[in-house]
Amino acid sequence: MNRRLIAGNWKMNKTPQESIDFIDAFLGKLGDIRDVEVLLIPPYTSLESSGRRLAGSSIGLGAQDLFYEPSGAYTAAISASMLAACGCRHVLVGHSERRHLFGDDDATVGRKLVSALDGGLTPILCIGETLDERRAGAMETVLGSQLDGGLDGVDADAIERVVMAYEPVWAIGTGETATPQQAQEAVAWVRAWLSQRYGVSVAKRLRILYGGSVKPGNATDLVTQPDIDGALVGGASLDPDAFAAIVEAAR
Ligand code: PEP
């Protein structure tokens, strides 16, 4: 079994001071935890202070996005090396909010993923279908093209450094969770796609997270599905009690 990963995406929430307050409360609840990998993903403005506060703990730091160029005249953009210098080891790419609100298409997501790898970061590639796409029976087509675009040029060695996250758009921030069966079915489909592209043993080792309204009450049922290796948590990761309870559920 792959080591489970629980990642908390704070989105556009928490000032640097609020981030530190969260970390102090969260570490106090969790103690030293090694059997589950835990990751906090604050906004850019809280990365440095969070990274300092997390130093020496077993909790990792990730960023919510990056730009694919290494440096230059790209106002408001942040590169992989800038994130690494703040202590990040992971970065989300292709989160549905980036795709739908900020126009990241599959080709852009693919370029971001490669630049994350080139910069020594572990990308977490987020994919997922909308409700209309699911109702139209297009889930597999949508996931397939997100995988194709997001992993364009990623070979069998590089894929080992990628984490996948299946996040049905209709379940993100809506309170509507995929049933454990729906989540398992979609994640198994993703793993089968990865097996075809990279081989069965590589695909087995890849971690695939589920994301979409994960809460303390539903986390156990979701993360114990055979193909699900953890969770990407939005809303519930903003509260140290709730997020610690989700981590506990994953243990
Ligand atoms: C997310 O932002 O990746 C997410 C899954 O959000 P929520 O848990 O709030 O649905």
Side-chain angles (χ1 to χ4, degrees):
M1 200 182 87
N2 295 325
R3 185 169 172 233
R4 291 204 177 107
L5 169 61
I6 304 294
N9 172 19
W10 289 353
K11 311 191 186 193
M12 197 172 73
N13 292 291
K14 296 197 191 292
T15 63
Q17 186 57 51
E18 287 166 348
S19 304
I20 286 171
D21 293 345
F22 175 101
I23 290 167
D24 288 346
F26 184 62
L27 290 178
K29 277 173 204 319
L30 216 55
D32 193 35
I33 184 158
R34 306 268 161 189
D35 43 356
V36 173
E37 186 175 354
V38 181
L39 196 60
L40 293 180
I41 308 181
Y44 291 138
T45 46
S46 288
L47 285 176
E48 203 186 5
S49 55
S50 299
R52 286 185 201 282
R53 206 57 156 211
L54 290 171
S57 81
S58 54
I59 314 291
L61 185 71
Q64 299 176 13
D65 192 31
L66 79 168
F67 189 53
Y68 46 73
E69 294 293 347
S71 63
Y74 303 104
T75 300
I78 302 286
S79 69
S81 63
M82 294 162 93
L83 297 178
C86 285
C88 290
R89 295 287 168 269
H90 292 74
V91 61
L92 301 179
V93 293
H95 189 281
S96 73
E97 286 147 19
R98 298 302 313 176
R99 291 177 189 267
H100 294 112
L101 299 174
F102 299 95
D104 282 12
D105 59 14
D106 288 329
T108 302
V109 173
R111 291 182 75 178
K112 289 183 172 186
L113 187 137
V114 167
S115 79
L117 288 171
D118 288 347
L121 298 170
T122 297
I124 302 178
L125 173 61
C126 304
I127 58 171
E129 81 288 359
T130 64
L131 193 53
D132 284 349
E133 289 162 346
R134 176 170 272 259
R135 285 190 176 138
M139 181 188 86
E140 294 176 4
T141 310
V142 171
L143 296 184
S145 73
Q146 290 175 342
L147 286 164
D148 257 330
L151 296 175
D152 189 29
V154 174
D155 63 18
D157 286 335
I159 192 71
E160 305 254 14
R161 294 168 44 220
V162 177
V163 172
M164 307 294 310
Y166 168 65
E167 298 206 298
V169 179
W170 46 273
I172 297 182
T174 59
E176 183 159 343
T177 319
T179 64
Q181 292 71 28
Q182 285 172 320
Q184 162 59 25
E185 198 181 275
V187 170
W189 188 88
V190 172
R191 203 178 293 284
W193 189 98
L194 294 165
S195 298
Q196 280 210 328
R197 169 77 62 102
Y198 297 106
V200 177
S201 62
V202 170
K204 265 192 190 154
R205 287 197 298 276
L206 292 180
R207 288 191 292 183
I208 310 180
L209 314 181
Y210 166 79
S213 298
V214 174
K215 308 225 167 349
N218 61 23
T220 306
D221 285 345
L222 288 161
V223 303
T224 52
Q225 294 301 310
D227 279 290
I228 298 180
D229 299 307
L232 180 53
V233 184
S237 72
L238 294 172
D239 173 52
D241 291 321
F243 195 49
I246 291 171
V247 173
E248 272 309 319
R251 298 178 90 179

